[in-house]
Amino acid sequence: MSALDAREGYRLWAHDYHETAITFLDDLLVREMGPAPAGLRLLDAGCGTGRRLRGSGAALAVGVDLTPEMLAAADPPGGLAAGDLRALPLRDAAFDLVWCRLAIGHLPEIGDAYRELARVCRPGGSVIVTDFHADAIAAGHRRTFCDASRRSHELAHYVHPAEAQAAAARAAGLALAYRRDGEVGPAVRPFYERADRLGSYEKQQGLRLVLALAFRRE
């Protein structure tokens, strides 16, 4: 199976983009890490369909995504724009809280993305970055989906260990506050059960699937 780049892959996935064990863990980690977006100016860079912005309670909620088909699937579509993580179409210091969730691993090089995330965050604001964990890749996990014809595809993913991400963030003016790891455990057991993969669940318990990093803009 040849891996598709993010633009082409999400174009094909947009018709049926749905919650997975990975996105579920991502949501749990971001809620635990905070800050809560209520009342803040929030940017979701790599927002997909904008689902994370709905009900956020943010004073301003903006989403940017590379794939027009994902944005077109948003409901409602307001507050969303097409753009690249490495060149966000937004002014400096415009947001109190910046999310970049499960998107940065699609880039072969992350320095420009971290500089952009830092640029659009106000001094003292927060940047939260999550990624598909290097341990999951090492264990053979891949980011896959089925298109409208039920053909399976793999999304291209580049491994950026936590230390490399922290270094790129530091060079961009972001100070690491803390990190969290989301792993296979009871919270995601229902996803394995629905897929009739409880045998895999038992073998994979404790495997780290999601890396989450919290930064403060200096």
Side-chain angles (χ1 to χ4, degrees):
M1 184 188 305
S2 59
L4 302 174
D5 67 24
R7 187 191 296 272
E8 177 62 12
Y10 285 107
R11 182 186 72 80
L12 295 173
W13 197 3
H15 79 286
D16 186 34
Y17 188 72
H18 56 272
E19 185 180 59
T20 65
I22 301 298
T23 60
F24 181 80
L25 283 174
D26 171 79
D27 287 340
L28 285 180
L29 289 169
V30 173
R31 282 199 298 271
E32 289 173 2
M33 295 170 78
L40 302 180
R41 298 171 297 165
L42 169 67
L43 169 66
D44 189 355
C47 67
T49 61
R51 67 174 183 83
R52 294 183 292 250
L53 298 172
R54 293 192 291 272
S56 68
L60 173 67
V62 175
V64 174
D65 197 84
L66 182 67
T67 309
E69 289 81 2
M70 292 290 279
L71 297 173
D75 181 27
L80 304 179
D84 193 301
L85 291 177
R86 296 161 292 189
L88 294 170
L90 302 163
R91 62 181 177 83
D92 295 357
F95 298 95
D96 307 302
L97 173 60
V98 177
W99 289 340
C100 180
R101 298 168 59 178
L102 301 174
I104 204 159
H106 294 312
L107 301 176
E109 192 281 324
I110 59 176
D112 288 344
Y114 267 103
R115 281 189 287 272
E116 282 293 276
L117 297 174
R119 178 183 65 79
V120 299
C121 185
R122 68 165 174 82
S126 299
V127 175
I128 307 294
V129 177
T130 64
D131 196 8
F132 197 40
H133 206 289
D135 285 4
I137 296 289
H141 283 251
R142 298 294 182 265
R143 300 182 71 174
T144 60
F145 68 96
C146 290
D147 63 22
S149 65
R150 309 312 300 165
R151 181 184 176 190
S152 182
H153 299 278
E154 178 183 340
L155 288 166
H157 182 86
Y158 301 88
V159 178
H160 304 297
E163 296 75 16
Q165 298 211 37
R170 188 165 55 250
L174 297 172
L176 180 64
Y178 46 89
R179 65 171 283 182
R180 297 284 188 275
D181 297 303
E183 62 186 39
V184 177
V188 297
R189 188 180 189 277
F191 291 91
Y192 285 81
E193 187 172 12
R194 287 194 292 270
D196 195 25
R197 296 185 60 205
L198 285 179
S200 295
Y201 169 78
E202 296 299 333
K203 293 177 182 178
Q204 294 173 12
Q205 285 198 70
L207 176 64
R208 295 183 292 184
L209 297 181
V210 179
L211 167 69
L213 302 168
F215 302 97
R216 180 180 178 276
R217 176 72 167 96
E218 295 181 326

